[in-house]
Amino acid sequence: MRVTLFDYGAGNLHSLAKALATAPGVEVRVQEDPIRALDTDLLVLPGVGAFGAAAARLEPGRDKMRQALEDGLPCLGICLGMQLMFDTSDEGGGWGLGFFRGQVTKLRSRRVPHIGWNSVEEDTALENAKLGSVYYAHSFVCRAEEPRVVVGWTTHEEDRFPAAVRRGNVLGVQFHPEKSSAAGVRFVQAFLEEVRK
């Protein structure tokens, strides 16, 4: 199974690639070209980075990538990767994929960024990997226009926002599974197994 990490200049590729490679029969590769990244069994949009810069790297292949997801290409978006699945962000200019309708806005809380362990409420993202507490590191959150795509929630201070969104084979998570210990690795493996089937 080929898993491709789209490298838009974000950090944290090494630990994410390591978490993905724990599943048997998985070959992980990194690709900087958004169109060539689509030649894969599973596309992964990693976390860490700024929306504007990542959107600029995505722009040459944005329409093709959006169409590939609409056509059923499995995709996992993590933190910034999830935010890039939405329309736009207050963090920076440029367009996301628009696969999920909505805007990315700054956290409405006193303490920003939100860094540390927090729970996932109403988790229905994956049947075989229920989440308890996972690791977050972010200042911006997704505001989905269609509540039915939200498959997990979390709350930081008074701000409640999606921890996970899903439509078909496309799953986005605001938290970092690769930094969420054994539970996070199980989550990644469960998604890989589902995609393989």
Side-chain angles (χ1 to χ4, degrees):
M1 178 180 188
R2 291 171 306 152
V3 176
T4 302
L5 281 167
F6 174 46
D7 180 9
Y8 37 72
N12 208 34
L13 293 181
H14 177 73
S15 59
L16 181 53
K18 195 171 164 185
L20 290 161
T22 59
V26 169
E27 173 198 330
V28 180
R29 65 185 182 127
V30 177
Q31 178 55 254
E32 294 178 5
D33 183 307
I35 295 171
R36 292 176 67 188
L38 301 176
D39 180 21
T40 190
D41 298 313
L42 170 65
L43 175 66
V44 179
L45 303 177
V48 187
F51 186 94
R57 294 282 286 271
L58 182 68
E59 181 56 35
R62 188 174 72 85
D63 293 341
K64 282 189 168 62
M65 190 175 284
R66 161 76 190 262
Q67 191 57 55
L69 300 190
E70 293 287 358
D71 291 343
L73 177 67
C75 181
L76 174 62
I78 296 170
C79 196
L80 173 60
M82 170 177 159
Q83 295 172 9
L84 284 168
M85 295 174 171
F86 283 75
D87 296 312
T88 57
S89 174
D90 292 347
E91 184 184 17
W95 291 92
L97 292 170
F99 185 80
F100 296 105
R101 306 300 304 166
Q103 174 81 9
V104 179
T105 69
K106 192 163 181 119
L107 262 168
R108 297 189 289 255
S109 56
R110 293 180 319 282
R111 289 175 296 141
V112 175
H114 170 208
I115 296 178
W117 295 83
N118 208 355
S119 63
V120 177
E121 308 150 16
E122 301 175 38
D123 169 32
T124 58
L126 292 172
E127 209 166 294
N128 296 331
K130 293 300 174 192
L131 293 163
S133 189
V134 288
Y135 189 82
Y136 295 83
H138 64 111
S139 300
F140 291 82
V141 297
C142 300
R143 310 291 181 186
E145 288 179 12
E146 304 166 273
R148 64 186 171 80
V149 303
V150 180
V151 292
W153 294 90
T154 196
T155 305
H156 177 59
E157 295 178 1
E158 297 80 35
D159 197 353
R160 189 168 192 255
F161 53 89
V165 291
R166 182 159 193 185
R167 180 157 67 92
N169 289 327
V170 177
L171 173 62
V173 294
Q174 186 59 66
F175 55 88
H176 287 269
E178 76 281 9
K179 294 182 179 179
S180 298
S181 193
V185 172
R186 274 196 309 274
F187 182 84
V188 168
Q189 289 176 343
F191 187 60
L192 289 168
E193 193 54 41
E194 186 182 290
V195 167
R196 198 193 305 268
K197 290 177 182 171

PDB file of all heavy atoms in Angstrom, residues 115-153:
ATOM      1  N   ILE A 115      -2.122  23.875  23.433  1.00  0.00           N
ATOM      2  CA  ILE A 115      -1.085  22.846  23.360  1.00  0.00           C
ATOM      3  C   ILE A 115      -1.274  21.886  24.522  1.00  0.00           C
ATOM      4  O   ILE A 115      -1.368  22.314  25.678  1.00  0.00           O
ATOM      5  CB  ILE A 115       0.333  23.452  23.415  1.00  0.00           C
ATOM      6  CG1 ILE A 115       0.569  24.338  22.189  1.00  0.00           C
ATOM      7  CG2 ILE A 115       1.389  22.359  23.495  1.00  0.00           C
ATOM      8  CD1 ILE A 115       1.907  25.029  22.160  1.00  0.00           C
ATOM      9  N   GLY A 116      -1.363  20.613  24.199  1.00  0.00           N
ATOM     10  CA  GLY A 116      -1.453  19.598  25.239  1.00  0.00           C
ATOM     11  C   GLY A 116      -2.544  18.585  24.960  1.00  0.00           C
ATOM     12  O   GLY A 116      -3.142  18.558  23.886  1.00  0.00           O
ATOM     13  N   TRP A 117      -2.795  17.759  25.965  1.00  0.00           N
ATOM     14  CA  TRP A 117      -3.743  16.653  25.843  1.00  0.00           C
ATOM     15  C   TRP A 117      -5.152  17.127  26.114  1.00  0.00           C
ATOM     16  O   TRP A 117      -5.387  17.931  27.009  1.00  0.00           O
ATOM     17  CB  TRP A 117      -3.359  15.538  26.815  1.00  0.00           C
ATOM     18  CG  TRP A 117      -2.043  14.931  26.458  1.00  0.00           C
ATOM     19  CD1 TRP A 117      -0.814  15.409  26.792  1.00  0.00           C
ATOM     20  CD2 TRP A 117      -1.830  13.764  25.669  1.00  0.00           C
ATOM     21  NE1 TRP A 117       0.170  14.599  26.258  1.00  0.00           N
ATOM     22  CE2 TRP A 117      -0.428  13.582  25.572  1.00  0.00           C
ATOM     23  CE3 TRP A 117      -2.682  12.849  25.042  1.00  0.00           C
ATOM     24  CZ2 TRP A 117       0.138  12.527  24.868  1.00  0.00           C
ATOM     25  CZ3 TRP A 117      -2.109  11.802  24.355  1.00  0.00           C
ATOM     26  CH2 TRP A 117      -0.727  11.647  24.265  1.00  0.00           C
ATOM     27  N   ASN A 118      -6.079  16.634  25.299  1.00  0.00           N
ATOM     28  CA  ASN A 118      -7.482  16.979  25.474  1.00  0.00           C
ATOM     29  C   ASN A 118      -8.324  15.826  24.926  1.00  0.00           C
ATOM     30  O   ASN A 118      -7.856  15.044  24.097  1.00  0.00           O
ATOM     31  CB  ASN A 118      -7.797  18.279  24.720  1.00  0.00           C
ATOM     32  CG  ASN A 118      -8.943  19.049  25.338  1.00  0.00           C
ATOM     33  OD1 ASN A 118      -9.581  18.584  26.273  1.00  0.00           O
ATOM     34  ND2 ASN A 118      -9.220  20.230  24.812  1.00  0.00           N
ATOM     35  N   SER A 119      -9.563  15.761  25.369  1.00  0.00           N
ATOM     36  CA  SER A 119     -10.427  14.649  24.975  1.00  0.00           C
ATOM     37  C   SER A 119     -11.070  14.885  23.611  1.00  0.00           C
ATOM     38  O   SER A 119     -11.098  16.003  23.101  1.00  0.00           O
ATOM     39  CB  SER A 119     -11.521  14.454  26.020  1.00  0.00           C
ATOM     40  OG  SER A 119     -12.331  15.615  26.065  1.00  0.00           O
ATOM     41  N   VAL A 120     -11.588  13.793  23.042  1.00  0.00           N
ATOM     42  CA  VAL A 120     -12.429  13.857  21.848  1.00  0.00           C
ATOM     43  C   VAL A 120     -13.823  13.414  22.281  1.00  0.00           C
ATOM     44  O   VAL A 120     -14.003  12.316  22.794  1.00  0.00           O
ATOM     45  CB  VAL A 120     -11.900  12.939  20.721  1.00  0.00           C
ATOM     46  CG1 VAL A 120     -12.836  12.984  19.517  1.00  0.00           C
ATOM     47  CG2 VAL A 120     -10.497  13.356  20.306  1.00  0.00           C
ATOM     48  N   GLU A 121     -14.798  14.291  22.082  1.00  0.00           N
ATOM     49  CA  GLU A 121     -16.185  14.017  22.467  1.00  0.00           C
ATOM     50  C   GLU A 121     -16.976  13.545  21.247  1.00  0.00           C
ATOM     51  O   GLU A 121     -16.705  13.970  20.129  1.00  0.00           O
ATOM     52  CB  GLU A 121     -16.829  15.296  23.035  1.00  0.00           C
ATOM     53  CG  GLU A 121     -16.019  15.971  24.145  1.00  0.00           C
ATOM     54  CD  GLU A 121     -16.221  17.476  24.179  1.00  0.00           C
ATOM     55  OE1 GLU A 121     -17.187  17.987  23.583  1.00  0.00           O
ATOM     56  OE2 GLU A 121     -15.375  18.145  24.806  1.00  0.00           O
ATOM     57  N   GLU A 122     -17.952  12.685  21.490  1.00  0.00           N
ATOM     58  CA  GLU A 122     -18.850  12.196  20.425  1.00  0.00           C
ATOM     59  C   GLU A 122     -18.058  11.620  19.252  1.00  0.00           C
ATOM     60  O   GLU A 122     -18.359  11.878  18.090  1.00  0.00           O
ATOM     61  CB  GLU A 122     -19.776  13.313  19.941  1.00  0.00           C
ATOM     62  CG  GLU A 122     -20.656  13.898  21.026  1.00  0.00           C
ATOM     63  CD  GLU A 122     -21.474  15.085  20.530  1.00  0.00           C
ATOM     64  OE1 GLU A 122     -21.933  15.054  19.372  1.00  0.00           O
ATOM     65  OE2 GLU A 122     -21.641  16.043  21.303  1.00  0.00           O
ATOM     66  N   ASP A 123     -17.031  10.842  19.549  1.00  0.00           N
ATOM     67  CA  ASP A 123     -16.120  10.308  18.536  1.00  0.00           C
ATOM     68  C   ASP A 123     -16.776   9.196  17.719  1.00  0.00           C
ATOM     69  O   ASP A 123     -17.095   8.145  18.241  1.00  0.00           O
ATOM     70  CB  ASP A 123     -14.863   9.789  19.243  1.00  0.00           C
ATOM     71  CG  ASP A 123     -13.963   8.973  18.319  1.00  0.00           C
ATOM     72  OD1 ASP A 123     -13.933   9.292  17.117  1.00  0.00           O
ATOM     73  OD2 ASP A 123     -13.310   8.054  18.809  1.00  0.00           O
ATOM     74  N   THR A 124     -16.982   9.449  16.433  1.00  0.00           N
ATOM     75  CA  THR A 124     -17.476   8.422  15.510  1.00  0.00           C
ATOM     76  C   THR A 124     -16.592   8.344  14.268  1.00  0.00           C
ATOM     77  O   THR A 124     -17.010   7.833  13.231  1.00  0.00           O
ATOM     78  CB  THR A 124     -18.935   8.709  15.079  1.00  0.00           C
ATOM     79  OG1 THR A 124     -18.996   9.995  14.456  1.00  0.00           O
ATOM     80  CG2 THR A 124     -19.891   8.677  16.269  1.00  0.00           C
ATOM     81  N   ALA A 125     -15.366   8.869  14.368  1.00  0.00           N
ATOM     82  CA  ALA A 125     -14.472   8.935  13.206  1.00  0.00           C
ATOM     83  C   ALA A 125     -14.151   7.550  12.659  1.00  0.00           C
ATOM     84  O   ALA A 125     -14.258   7.309  11.458  1.00  0.00           O
ATOM     85  CB  ALA A 125     -13.181   9.668  13.571  1.00  0.00           C
ATOM     86  N   LEU A 126     -13.752   6.634  13.538  1.00  0.00           N
ATOM     87  CA  LEU A 126     -13.388   5.284  13.127  1.00  0.00           C
ATOM     88  C   LEU A 126     -13.996   4.281  14.102  1.00  0.00           C
ATOM     89  O   LEU A 126     -13.832   4.421  15.307  1.00  0.00           O
ATOM     90  CB  LEU A 126     -11.861   5.105  13.121  1.00  0.00           C
ATOM     91  CG  LEU A 126     -11.073   5.869  12.067  1.00  0.00           C
ATOM     92  CD1 LEU A 126      -9.582   5.735  12.325  1.00  0.00           C
ATOM     93  CD2 LEU A 126     -11.406   5.374  10.674  1.00  0.00           C
ATOM     94  N   GLU A 127     -14.642   3.279  13.562  1.00  0.00           N
ATOM     95  CA  GLU A 127     -15.302   2.288  14.400  1.00  0.00           C
ATOM     96  C   GLU A 127     -14.310   1.485  15.240  1.00  0.00           C
ATOM     97  O   GLU A 127     -14.581   1.132  16.382  1.00  0.00           O
ATOM     98  CB  GLU A 127     -16.122   1.338  13.521  1.00  0.00           C
ATOM     99  CG  GLU A 127     -17.317   0.771  14.232  1.00  0.00           C
ATOM    100  CD  GLU A 127     -18.276   0.120  13.259  1.00  0.00           C
ATOM    101  OE1 GLU A 127     -18.860   0.831  12.429  1.00  0.00           O
ATOM    102  OE2 GLU A 127     -18.409  -1.098  13.347  1.00  0.00           O
ATOM    103  N   ASN A 128     -13.129   1.203  14.694  1.00  0.00           N
ATOM    104  CA  ASN A 128     -12.165   0.319  15.363  1.00  0.00           C
ATOM    105  C   ASN A 128     -11.100   1.034  16.182  1.00  0.00           C
ATOM    106  O   ASN A 128     -10.144   0.399  16.614  1.00  0.00           O
ATOM    107  CB  ASN A 128     -11.476  -0.578  14.325  1.00  0.00           C
ATOM    108  CG  ASN A 128     -12.459  -1.501  13.654  1.00  0.00           C
ATOM    109  OD1 ASN A 128     -13.463  -1.878  14.243  1.00  0.00           O
ATOM    110  ND2 ASN A 128     -12.187  -1.858  12.414  1.00  0.00           N
ATOM    111  N   ALA A 129     -11.221   2.329  16.371  1.00  0.00           N
ATOM    112  CA  ALA A 129     -10.197   3.055  17.137  1.00  0.00           C
ATOM    113  C   ALA A 129     -10.831   4.232  17.858  1.00  0.00           C
ATOM    114  O   ALA A 129     -10.698   5.379  17.442  1.00  0.00           O
ATOM    115  CB  ALA A 129      -9.083   3.525  16.218  1.00  0.00           C
ATOM    116  N   LYS A 130     -11.526   3.960  18.929  1.00  0.00           N
ATOM    117  CA  LYS A 130     -12.153   5.033  19.709  1.00  0.00           C
ATOM    118  C   LYS A 130     -11.080   5.830  20.440  1.00  0.00           C
ATOM    119  O   LYS A 130     -10.120   5.278  20.961  1.00  0.00           O
ATOM    120  CB  LYS A 130     -13.152   4.451  20.713  1.00  0.00           C
ATOM    121  CG  LYS A 130     -14.355   3.814  20.039  1.00  0.00           C
ATOM    122  CD  LYS A 130     -15.106   4.823  19.200  1.00  0.00           C
ATOM    123  CE  LYS A 130     -16.224   4.208  18.398  1.00  0.00           C
ATOM    124  NZ  LYS A 130     -16.764   5.112  17.396  1.00  0.00           N
ATOM    125  N   LEU A 131     -11.263   7.128  20.465  1.00  0.00           N
ATOM    126  CA  LEU A 131     -10.265   8.022  21.035  1.00  0.00           C
ATOM    127  C   LEU A 131     -10.697   8.531  22.400  1.00  0.00           C
ATOM    128  O   LEU A 131     -11.867   8.838  22.609  1.00  0.00           O
ATOM    129  CB  LEU A 131     -10.049   9.205  20.096  1.00  0.00           C
ATOM    130  CG  LEU A 131      -9.410   8.847  18.763  1.00  0.00           C
ATOM    131  CD1 LEU A 131      -9.608   9.968  17.764  1.00  0.00           C
ATOM    132  CD2 LEU A 131      -7.936   8.558  18.952  1.00  0.00           C
ATOM    133  N   GLY A 132      -9.737   8.626  23.291  1.00  0.00           N
ATOM    134  CA  GLY A 132      -9.991   9.236  24.591  1.00  0.00           C
ATOM    135  C   GLY A 132      -9.336  10.598  24.620  1.00  0.00           C
ATOM    136  O   GLY A 132      -9.905  11.608  24.223  1.00  0.00           O
ATOM    137  N   SER A 133      -8.072  10.598  25.007  1.00  0.00           N
ATOM    138  CA  SER A 133      -7.306  11.829  25.117  1.00  0.00           C
ATOM    139  C   SER A 133      -6.211  11.830  24.051  1.00  0.00           C
ATOM    140  O   SER A 133      -5.508  10.839  23.882  1.00  0.00           O
ATOM    141  CB  SER A 133      -6.698  11.911  26.521  1.00  0.00           C
ATOM    142  OG  SER A 133      -6.119  13.172  26.720  1.00  0.00           O
ATOM    143  N   VAL A 134      -6.088  12.947  23.328  1.00  0.00           N
ATOM    144  CA  VAL A 134      -5.110  13.063  22.240  1.00  0.00           C
ATOM    145  C   VAL A 134      -4.382  14.403  22.349  1.00  0.00           C
ATOM    146  O   VAL A 134      -4.806  15.300  23.074  1.00  0.00           O
ATOM    147  CB  VAL A 134      -5.783  12.917  20.854  1.00  0.00           C
ATOM    148  CG1 VAL A 134      -6.214  11.481  20.607  1.00  0.00           C
ATOM    149  CG2 VAL A 134      -6.966  13.857  20.718  1.00  0.00           C
ATOM    150  N   TYR A 135      -3.307  14.534  21.571  1.00  0.00           N
ATOM    151  CA  TYR A 135      -2.434  15.701  21.691  1.00  0.00           C
ATOM    152  C   TYR A 135      -2.752  16.760  20.629  1.00  0.00           C
ATOM    153  O   TYR A 135      -2.816  16.459  19.433  1.00  0.00           O
ATOM    154  CB  TYR A 135      -0.968  15.271  21.552  1.00  0.00           C
ATOM    155  CG  TYR A 135       0.003  16.377  21.865  1.00  0.00           C
ATOM    156  CD1 TYR A 135       0.346  16.670  23.175  1.00  0.00           C
ATOM    157  CD2 TYR A 135       0.575  17.129  20.848  1.00  0.00           C
ATOM    158  CE1 TYR A 135       1.232  17.694  23.473  1.00  0.00           C
ATOM    159  CE2 TYR A 135       1.464  18.145  21.127  1.00  0.00           C
ATOM    160  CZ  TYR A 135       1.786  18.430  22.443  1.00  0.00           C
ATOM    161  OH  TYR A 135       2.663  19.444  22.724  1.00  0.00           O
ATOM    162  N   TYR A 136      -2.942  17.993  21.090  1.00  0.00           N
ATOM    163  CA  TYR A 136      -3.240  19.123  20.219  1.00  0.00           C
ATOM    164  C   TYR A 136      -2.108  20.148  20.287  1.00  0.00           C
ATOM    165  O   TYR A 136      -1.477  20.316  21.325  1.00  0.00           O
ATOM    166  CB  TYR A 136      -4.525  19.832  20.669  1.00  0.00           C
ATOM    167  CG  TYR A 136      -5.788  19.012  20.547  1.00  0.00           C
ATOM    168  CD1 TYR A 136      -6.147  18.097  21.538  1.00  0.00           C
ATOM    169  CD2 TYR A 136      -6.635  19.162  19.453  1.00  0.00           C
ATOM    170  CE1 TYR A 136      -7.311  17.353  21.433  1.00  0.00           C
ATOM    171  CE2 TYR A 136      -7.800  18.427  19.345  1.00  0.00           C
ATOM    172  CZ  TYR A 136      -8.130  17.530  20.339  1.00  0.00           C
ATOM    173  OH  TYR A 136      -9.277  16.794  20.237  1.00  0.00           O
ATOM    174  N   ALA A 137      -1.883  20.850  19.180  1.00  0.00           N
ATOM    175  CA  ALA A 137      -0.931  21.964  19.130  1.00  0.00           C
ATOM    176  C   ALA A 137      -1.382  22.886  17.992  1.00  0.00           C
ATOM    177  O   ALA A 137      -1.006  22.685  16.846  1.00  0.00           O
ATOM    178  CB  ALA A 137       0.492  21.467  18.907  1.00  0.00           C
ATOM    179  N   HIS A 138      -2.209  23.886  18.311  1.00  0.00           N
ATOM    180  CA  HIS A 138      -2.777  24.742  17.262  1.00  0.00           C
ATOM    181  C   HIS A 138      -3.329  26.034  17.843  1.00  0.00           C
ATOM    182  O   HIS A 138      -3.632  26.118  19.035  1.00  0.00           O
ATOM    183  CB  HIS A 138      -3.900  23.995  16.524  1.00  0.00           C
ATOM    184  CG  HIS A 138      -5.060  23.667  17.425  1.00  0.00           C
ATOM    185  ND1 HIS A 138      -6.273  24.264  17.307  1.00  0.00           N
ATOM    186  CD2 HIS A 138      -5.147  22.820  18.476  1.00  0.00           C
ATOM    187  CE1 HIS A 138      -7.083  23.806  18.248  1.00  0.00           C
ATOM    188  NE2 HIS A 138      -6.421  22.926  18.968  1.00  0.00           N
ATOM    189  N   SER A 139      -3.494  27.025  16.957  1.00  0.00           N
ATOM    190  CA  SER A 139      -4.109  28.303  17.320  1.00  0.00           C
ATOM    191  C   SER A 139      -5.373  28.570  16.518  1.00  0.00           C
ATOM    192  O   SER A 139      -6.132  29.482  16.843  1.00  0.00           O
ATOM    193  CB  SER A 139      -3.124  29.452  17.061  1.00  0.00           C
ATOM    194  OG  SER A 139      -1.956  29.286  17.831  1.00  0.00           O
ATOM    195  N   PHE A 140      -5.577  27.800  15.446  1.00  0.00           N
ATOM    196  CA  PHE A 140      -6.723  27.988  14.564  1.00  0.00           C
ATOM    197  C   PHE A 140      -7.548  26.708  14.499  1.00  0.00           C
ATOM    198  O   PHE A 140      -7.011  25.614  14.673  1.00  0.00           O
ATOM    199  CB  PHE A 140      -6.250  28.390  13.158  1.00  0.00           C
ATOM    200  CG  PHE A 140      -5.651  29.764  13.123  1.00  0.00           C
ATOM    201  CD1 PHE A 140      -4.336  29.976  13.484  1.00  0.00           C
ATOM    202  CD2 PHE A 140      -6.424  30.859  12.755  1.00  0.00           C
ATOM    203  CE1 PHE A 140      -3.776  31.247  13.490  1.00  0.00           C
ATOM    204  CE2 PHE A 140      -5.890  32.133  12.750  1.00  0.00           C
ATOM    205  CZ  PHE A 140      -4.559  32.334  13.117  1.00  0.00           C
ATOM    206  N   VAL A 141      -8.850  26.868  14.266  1.00  0.00           N
ATOM    207  CA  VAL A 141      -9.767  25.728  14.253  1.00  0.00           C
ATOM    208  C   VAL A 141     -10.736  25.845  13.075  1.00  0.00           C
ATOM    209  O   VAL A 141     -10.975  26.927  12.553  1.00  0.00           O
ATOM    210  CB  VAL A 141     -10.569  25.626  15.570  1.00  0.00           C
ATOM    211  CG1 VAL A 141      -9.637  25.380  16.741  1.00  0.00           C
ATOM    212  CG2 VAL A 141     -11.416  26.865  15.811  1.00  0.00           C
ATOM    213  N   CYS A 142     -11.293  24.715  12.681  1.00  0.00           N
ATOM    214  CA  CYS A 142     -12.228  24.666  11.563  1.00  0.00           C
ATOM    215  C   CYS A 142     -13.653  24.899  12.056  1.00  0.00           C
ATOM    216  O   CYS A 142     -14.065  24.337  13.072  1.00  0.00           O
ATOM    217  CB  CYS A 142     -12.152  23.307  10.871  1.00  0.00           C
ATOM    218  SG  CYS A 142     -10.502  22.947  10.229  1.00  0.00           S
ATOM    219  N   ARG A 143     -14.385  25.721  11.330  1.00  0.00           N
ATOM    220  CA  ARG A 143     -15.803  25.968  11.619  1.00  0.00           C
ATOM    221  C   ARG A 143     -16.594  25.401  10.442  1.00  0.00           C
ATOM    222  O   ARG A 143     -16.725  26.043   9.395  1.00  0.00           O
ATOM    223  CB  ARG A 143     -16.089  27.462  11.773  1.00  0.00           C
ATOM    224  CG  ARG A 143     -15.155  28.201  12.731  1.00  0.00           C
ATOM    225  CD  ARG A 143     -15.352  27.809  14.176  1.00  0.00           C
ATOM    226  NE  ARG A 143     -14.436  28.566  15.036  1.00  0.00           N
ATOM    227  CZ  ARG A 143     -14.290  28.362  16.330  1.00  0.00           C
ATOM    228  NH1 ARG A 143     -14.999  27.417  16.935  1.00  0.00           N
ATOM    229  NH2 ARG A 143     -13.429  29.073  17.024  1.00  0.00           N
ATOM    230  N   ALA A 144     -17.062  24.186  10.594  1.00  0.00           N
ATOM    231  CA  ALA A 144     -17.747  23.493   9.494  1.00  0.00           C
ATOM    232  C   ALA A 144     -19.148  24.048   9.295  1.00  0.00           C
ATOM    233  O   ALA A 144     -19.899  24.218  10.256  1.00  0.00           O
ATOM    234  CB  ALA A 144     -17.810  21.999   9.792  1.00  0.00           C
ATOM    235  N   GLU A 145     -19.507  24.324   8.042  1.00  0.00           N
ATOM    236  CA  GLU A 145     -20.859  24.794   7.720  1.00  0.00           C
ATOM    237  C   GLU A 145     -21.868  23.653   7.741  1.00  0.00           C
ATOM    238  O   GLU A 145     -23.058  23.893   7.881  1.00  0.00           O
ATOM    239  CB  GLU A 145     -20.873  25.476   6.347  1.00  0.00           C
ATOM    240  CG  GLU A 145     -20.185  26.819   6.342  1.00  0.00           C
ATOM    241  CD  GLU A 145     -20.179  27.468   4.965  1.00  0.00           C
ATOM    242  OE1 GLU A 145     -20.898  26.983   4.053  1.00  0.00           O
ATOM    243  OE2 GLU A 145     -19.441  28.453   4.802  1.00  0.00           O
ATOM    244  N   GLU A 146     -21.399  22.426   7.574  1.00  0.00           N
ATOM    245  CA  GLU A 146     -22.282  21.248   7.581  1.00  0.00           C
ATOM    246  C   GLU A 146     -21.972  20.412   8.813  1.00  0.00           C
ATOM    247  O   GLU A 146     -21.010  19.641   8.818  1.00  0.00           O
ATOM    248  CB  GLU A 146     -22.062  20.415   6.321  1.00  0.00           C
ATOM    249  CG  GLU A 146     -22.250  21.191   5.030  1.00  0.00           C
ATOM    250  CD  GLU A 146     -21.700  20.427   3.846  1.00  0.00           C
ATOM    251  OE1 GLU A 146     -20.501  20.559   3.566  1.00  0.00           O
ATOM    252  OE2 GLU A 146     -22.481  19.689   3.219  1.00  0.00           O
ATOM    253  N   PRO A 147     -22.777  20.532   9.882  1.00  0.00           N
ATOM    254  CA  PRO A 147     -22.488  19.814  11.131  1.00  0.00           C
ATOM    255  C   PRO A 147     -22.391  18.300  10.957  1.00  0.00           C
ATOM    256  O   PRO A 147     -21.669  17.641  11.704  1.00  0.00           O
ATOM    257  CB  PRO A 147     -23.667  20.183  12.037  1.00  0.00           C
ATOM    258  CG  PRO A 147     -24.212  21.454  11.476  1.00  0.00           C
ATOM    259  CD  PRO A 147     -23.949  21.393   9.999  1.00  0.00           C
ATOM    260  N   ARG A 148     -23.063  17.733   9.943  1.00  0.00           N
ATOM    261  CA  ARG A 148     -23.068  16.277   9.780  1.00  0.00           C
ATOM    262  C   ARG A 148     -21.686  15.715   9.441  1.00  0.00           C
ATOM    263  O   ARG A 148     -21.435  14.532   9.635  1.00  0.00           O
ATOM    264  CB  ARG A 148     -24.083  15.846   8.730  1.00  0.00           C
ATOM    265  CG  ARG A 148     -23.784  16.345   7.338  1.00  0.00           C
ATOM    266  CD  ARG A 148     -24.889  16.028   6.337  1.00  0.00           C
ATOM    267  NE  ARG A 148     -24.656  16.695   5.083  1.00  0.00           N
ATOM    268  CZ  ARG A 148     -23.835  16.287   4.142  1.00  0.00           C
ATOM    269  NH1 ARG A 148     -23.140  15.180   4.321  1.00  0.00           N
ATOM    270  NH2 ARG A 148     -23.684  16.954   3.030  1.00  0.00           N
ATOM    271  N   VAL A 149     -20.750  16.543   8.952  1.00  0.00           N
ATOM    272  CA  VAL A 149     -19.408  16.043   8.635  1.00  0.00           C
ATOM    273  C   VAL A 149     -18.525  15.947   9.879  1.00  0.00           C
ATOM    274  O   VAL A 149     -17.467  15.335   9.842  1.00  0.00           O
ATOM    275  CB  VAL A 149     -18.689  16.893   7.553  1.00  0.00           C
ATOM    276  CG1 VAL A 149     -19.516  16.954   6.272  1.00  0.00           C
ATOM    277  CG2 VAL A 149     -18.326  18.284   8.059  1.00  0.00           C
ATOM    278  N   VAL A 150     -18.963  16.552  10.978  1.00  0.00           N
ATOM    279  CA  VAL A 150     -18.164  16.527  12.210  1.00  0.00           C
ATOM    280  C   VAL A 150     -18.371  15.182  12.894  1.00  0.00           C
ATOM    281  O   VAL A 150     -19.487  14.813  13.239  1.00  0.00           O
ATOM    282  CB  VAL A 150     -18.535  17.690  13.150  1.00  0.00           C
ATOM    283  CG1 VAL A 150     -17.688  17.634  14.423  1.00  0.00           C
ATOM    284  CG2 VAL A 150     -18.353  19.031  12.445  1.00  0.00           C
ATOM    285  N   VAL A 151     -17.264  14.438  13.087  1.00  0.00           N
ATOM    286  CA  VAL A 151     -17.336  13.093  13.678  1.00  0.00           C
ATOM    287  C   VAL A 151     -16.595  13.029  15.014  1.00  0.00           C
ATOM    288  O   VAL A 151     -16.333  11.950  15.531  1.00  0.00           O
ATOM    289  CB  VAL A 151     -16.808  12.026  12.699  1.00  0.00           C
ATOM    290  CG1 VAL A 151     -17.751  11.886  11.507  1.00  0.00           C
ATOM    291  CG2 VAL A 151     -15.381  12.347  12.231  1.00  0.00           C
ATOM    292  N   GLY A 152     -16.285  14.181  15.567  1.00  0.00           N
ATOM    293  CA  GLY A 152     -15.662  14.273  16.881  1.00  0.00           C
ATOM    294  C   GLY A 152     -15.503  15.738  17.243  1.00  0.00           C
ATOM    295  O   GLY A 152     -15.216  16.572  16.385  1.00  0.00           O
ATOM    296  N   TRP A 153     -15.727  16.050  18.506  1.00  0.00           N
ATOM    297  CA  TRP A 153     -15.635  17.431  18.996  1.00  0.00           C
ATOM    298  C   TRP A 153     -14.616  17.503  20.116  1.00  0.00           C
ATOM    299  O   TRP A 153     -14.306  16.503  20.760  1.00  0.00           O
ATOM    300  CB  TRP A 153     -16.982  17.903  19.534  1.00  0.00           C
ATOM    301  CG  TRP A 153     -18.057  18.026  18.508  1.00  0.00           C
ATOM    302  CD1 TRP A 153     -18.936  17.064  18.121  1.00  0.00           C
ATOM    303  CD2 TRP A 153     -18.382  19.178  17.734  1.00  0.00           C
ATOM    304  NE1 TRP A 153     -19.787  17.539  17.147  1.00  0.00           N
ATOM    305  CE2 TRP A 153     -19.470  18.842  16.900  1.00  0.00           C
ATOM    306  CE3 TRP A 153     -17.856  20.478  17.674  1.00  0.00           C
ATOM    307  CZ2 TRP A 153     -20.044  19.750  16.017  1.00  0.00           C
ATOM    308  CZ3 TRP A 153     -18.434  21.380  16.787  1.00  0.00           C
ATOM    309  CH2 TRP A 153     -19.508  21.016  15.967  1.00  0.00           C
TER     310      TRP A 153
END
